[in-house]
Amino acid sequence: MAEQTEKKLIFSGIQPTGVFTLGNYIGAIRNWGPLQDEYRCVYSVVDMHAITVRQDSVKLRQNTLQAYALLMACGIDLEKSLLFIQSHVHTHAELSWILSCNTQFGELSRMTQFKDKSQRHPDDMNAGLFTYPVLMAADILAYNADLVPVGVDQKQHLELARDIAQRFNQRYGDFFTMPEPYIPLVGAKVMSLQDPTKKMSKSDTNPNACILILDDKDTIIRKCKRAVTDSDTVVRYAEGKDGINNLMTIYSSVTGKDFDAIEREFDGQGYDTFKMAVGEAVADHLRPMQETYAKLIGDKKYLNECYTQSDAKALAYSSKIVQKVYHKIGFVDAR
Ligand code: TRP
């Protein structure tokens, strides 16, 4: 991470919950590469957040390394950015405790994700699920991040992080930077292939609804061929043609062609030809990334070097901030 202070710092955490979808990729991840020149980027695979729901330990370790390698394959460059594993950097847990003492029970009770998740896991309403947003605030504030790319589902958590920062600043004197949501300029929203009024999601019960970025070519083509479309036959972007609009969005995102060009390309050709072309284009677009991923995940020693290096930089950076916080709240200086 370059030390130029004029560049704003972006922080984002990614949960290790399995292979990303084409929606995650087009809507978010693939846009992170180009950000690295404009901002100081700090990315973390947030394994500590993941354990707020029950995890199989073998699977969690695999998923964490997989997410790490996938992010690298998708363009995060360790010469420019940090990409570290959250549990390796102890300042996050430490700051989380301090912030939890500056967060109200009522504030956490109002978090919609907590309400949803505790309903969905009534047998495991653990305290971590409740304090999850505090750990997220710690992730962000431990780096005094300026910007946090968030989807709608995380907006409330970011607002809470801002409230916590503001309260801390009032109590102890201005210290934390107020993190702002980062709304990406590019990045289309990709919908389910089976119900194009819903967002594409890997938790969809129908596996054909969602393309995973490690799917092989045949699988991708098959899923595209089965995509739900309307009864019209003209490839045209229009209201009421959600399925075709979605496939056009996908095709446009992976080929760079605009909608007019796509309409002309498939003029008079019908949906089957178009669906086949979308599948081919997606598979071709993902192939280089998949090859890079395969190399990375097969080289655990190299991966280890990568995260060890980023972990150390993240620790050095966040320790300076957390030490100042310790001092501000009145802990005796350790050294
Ligand atoms: N809660 C985020 C999610 O589920 C992940 C996350 C953890 C995060 N810490 C963060 C995102 C800090 C942004 C900044 O997607």
Side-chain angles (χ1 to χ4, degrees), residues 27 32 35 37 46 121 194 206 240 283:
W32 291 354
L35 289 182
D37 295 316
V46 291
H121 306 276
Q194 292 296 313
N206 184 341

Side-chain angles (χ1 to χ4, degrees), residues 217-290:
K217 188 165 189 165
D218 289 348
T219 308
I220 294 173
I221 290 176
R222 179 167 38 80
K223 288 176 178 176
C224 286
K225 277 189 177 162
R226 292 189 186 164
V228 171
T229 44
D230 55 78
S231 55
D232 190 13
T233 53
V234 186
V235 177
R236 184 166 51 93
Y237 196 96
E239 199 169 332
K241 291 168 71 75
D242 296 328
I244 286 297
N245 295 349
N246 188 37
L247 290 174
M248 285 178 73
T249 301
I250 294 172
Y251 190 69
S252 166
S253 301
V254 297
T255 60
K257 296 174 185 167
D258 65 22
F259 291 158
D260 281 345
I262 299 171
E263 288 175 7
R264 269 182 271 119
E265 183 178 354
F266 294 96
D267 187 29
Q269 299 210 45
Y271 287 173
D272 287 343
T273 315
F274 178 53
K275 286 178 177 179
M276 185 74 190
V278 175
E280 298 249 358
V282 170
D284 289 346
H285 177 86
L286 292 177
R287 190 178 314 109
M289 179 280 298
Q290 292 180 345

Side-chain angles (χ1 to χ4, degrees), residues 168-195:
F168 186 95
N169 287 353
Q170 270 160 7
R171 284 185 182 160
Y172 298 104
D174 252 6
F175 180 70
F176 286 126
T177 305
M178 280 297 177
E180 305 277 346
Y182 175 79
I183 317 286
L185 299 171
V186 281
K189 191 165 172 191
V190 175
M191 311 305 277
S192 157
L193 298 179
Q194 292 296 313
D195 175 0

